[in-house]
Amino acid sequence: AQSVTQLGSHVSVSEGALVLLRCNYSSSVPPYLFWYVQYPNQGLQLLLKYTSAATLVKGINGFEAEFKKSETSFHLTKPSAHMSDAAEYFCAVSDLRAAGNKLTFGGGTRVLVKP
Amino acid sequence: SQTIHQWPATLVQPVGSPLSLECTVEGTSNPNLYWYRQAAGRGLQLLFYSVGIGQISSEVPQNLSASRPQDRQFILSSKKLLLSDSGFYLCAWGGQGNSPLHFGNGTRLTVT
């Protein structure tokens, strides 16, 4: 069974500072990995995805993530935080061998951006 | 382009009342469809998924059921709501292969 662990349920950063959100996964097969963002009372929006091509993946809103197989990690970063980055972020893993192409999500990390 | 519609946006229901949440997808055919629940302070839990009309898989035993009467329609139901059914319900659709899931805007359900 697959699983995703996001270290830190809350992260506080200053505007302009680096944003680093940690995600570690467990999968018995090469995974497909995703990062989503959720603003209050909204659905989830895809930030980026890793599908076994380049290990450094660039997404929307200036975010990027690096897949490190040796560390089973897929950490999300943004060089300079903006107030609009305040939201909850979810890492997810997909096992395409399983029926239904389901995603397993981490517990989420809520980001607070201080002015 | 593909769009997903989910309604209602908010719902307050008394314990023991029935529930019906509807989700429709436009701009794609034969999508995989999903219902997730997000309880307060918790992550996303997959409730049901469907790979085709009339094909429903349940991930967790519970007070809810799902149906897919048409290719792009997914319905979440309950005959009698419990307090523990409160939460934020998200419908999503996905394609095949490595395609990501695309989510609706969610329904916030409060059972009183």
Side-chain angles (χ1 to χ4, degrees):
Chain A
Q2 301 177 107
S3 65
V4 177
T5 301
Q6 292 182 238
L7 297 179
S9 59
H10 292 78
V11 169
S12 181
V13 299
S14 297
E15 191 174 17
L18 171 72
V19 179
L20 170 61
L21 305 183
R22 300 180 185 274
C23 172
N24 288 88
Y25 69 91
S26 171
S27 176
S28 59
V29 298
Y32 286 173
L33 295 159
F34 306 85
W35 274 101
Y36 285 85
V37 60
Q38 184 181 32
Y39 298 99
N41 292 312
Q42 293 188 24
L44 277 70
Q45 179 183 6
L46 180 69
L47 277 177
L48 49 81
K49 65 178 183 180
Y50 167 76
T51 57
S52 74
T55 56
L56 182 62
V57 182
K58 294 188 181 298
I60 63 171
N61 301 341
F63 284 93
E64 63 181 33
E66 185 173 10
F67 173 70
K68 293 186 176 180
K69 182 178 179 180
S70 61
E71 300 177 7
T72 61
S73 69
F74 190 55
H75 301 332
L76 181 72
T77 60
K78 180 174 180 177
S80 177
H82 190 272
M83 296 300 292
S84 60
D85 295 326
E88 190 160 19
Y89 294 80
F90 292 92
C91 182
V93 62
S94 173
D95 178 6
L96 296 186
R97 295 187 317 171
N101 194 17
K102 299 172 287 184
L103 293 189
T104 300
F105 285 87
T109 299
R110 189 172 299 277
V111 173
L112 172 66
V113 182
K114 299 176 293 185
Chain B
S1 63
Q2 303 90 354
T3 56
I4 180 169
H5 303 280
Q6 190 179 341
W7 68 92
T10 60
L11 190 60
V12 180
Q13 292 284 97
V15 168
S17 64
L19 173 73
S20 181
L21 302 181
E22 189 164 343
C23 172
T24 59
V25 180
E26 296 177 357
T28 186
S29 59
N30 195 30
N32 292 334
L33 296 172
Y34 309 82
W35 280 111
Y36 281 85
R37 178 170 60 197
Q38 191 174 21
R42 302 176 65 178
L44 288 95
Q45 180 185 36
L46 179 62
L47 302 177
F48 301 94
Y49 70 93
S50 171
V51 298
I53 296 175
Q55 301 179 60
I56 308 296
S57 296
S58 174
E59 289 293 293
V60 291
Q62 58 201 318
N63 186 43
L64 302 169
S65 63
S67 62
R68 184 171 178 173
Q70 301 180 42
D71 181 44
R72 290 169 288 178
Q73 184 184 27
F74 206 24
I75 298 172
L76 183 70
S77 304
S78 174
K79 292 182 179 178
K80 291 185 177 181
L81 284 169
L82 306 172
L83 286 174
S84 58
D85 292 324
S86 293
F88 193 50
Y89 289 82
L90 290 159
C91 180
W93 75 270
Q96 304 303 317
N98 61 17
S99 63
L101 298 190
H102 305 276
F103 286 82
N105 285 329
T107 295
R108 183 158 306 280
L109 172 66
T110 303
V111 182
T112 60

